[in-house]
Amino acid sequence: MSVNVRIPTILRTYTGGRSEVTAEGATLADVLADLERNHEGIAARVLDESGKLRRFVNVYVGDEDVRFAEGLETRTPDGVGVSIIPAVAGGSGHLRAQPEGPGA
């Protein structure tokens, strides 16, 4: 099955700068293996040492977050879009009160 994979800016060095590539596979695991065959090094940025999705990488098949589907065994029907999205983190985790009034 051929799918379209959207590549985030940070991983485009592996795809020659392309923001979207095609890959083959019946499951997400197959698609990632095909990506690695054609764009060496990309899998290590998406999968951890044990072969699971990295904690701070979100992957969607269509509109479905694979963490809430079947993970790497999520089916990838022909023509579906796969999106790799690095999680965004930052900030202090709470809002700080801003001083009020003149000269604050």
Side-chain angles (χ1 to χ4, degrees):
M1 314 253 164
S2 181
V3 300
N4 299 313
V5 183
R6 288 183 270 313
I7 307 295
T9 304
I10 196 164
L11 298 181
R12 290 181 190 165
T13 55
Y14 299 98
T15 62
R18 291 183 288 167
S19 63
E20 191 169 300
V21 297
T22 59
E24 301 289 326
T27 66
L28 179 58
D30 297 338
V31 167
L32 292 174
D34 191 55
L35 273 178
E36 180 62 21
R37 278 190 293 278
N38 294 304
H39 308 285
E40 189 175 341
I42 199 166
R45 307 293 286 162
V46 177
L47 303 173
D48 65 17
E49 297 76 27
S50 65
K52 296 180 181 174
L53 287 174
R54 289 192 177 276
R55 185 172 169 203
F56 296 109
V57 175
N58 299 310
V59 180
Y60 290 82
V61 173
D63 293 330
E64 189 169 24
D65 184 337
V66 300
R67 292 185 198 277
F68 302 105
E70 276 113 88
L72 293 172
E73 294 308 311
T74 301
R75 307 286 302 156
T76 51
D78 197 41
V80 75
V82 174
S83 300
I84 301 171
I85 303 170
V88 178
S92 63
H94 66 278
L95 296 175
R96 295 175 55 183
Q98 296 296 319
E100 295 181 19

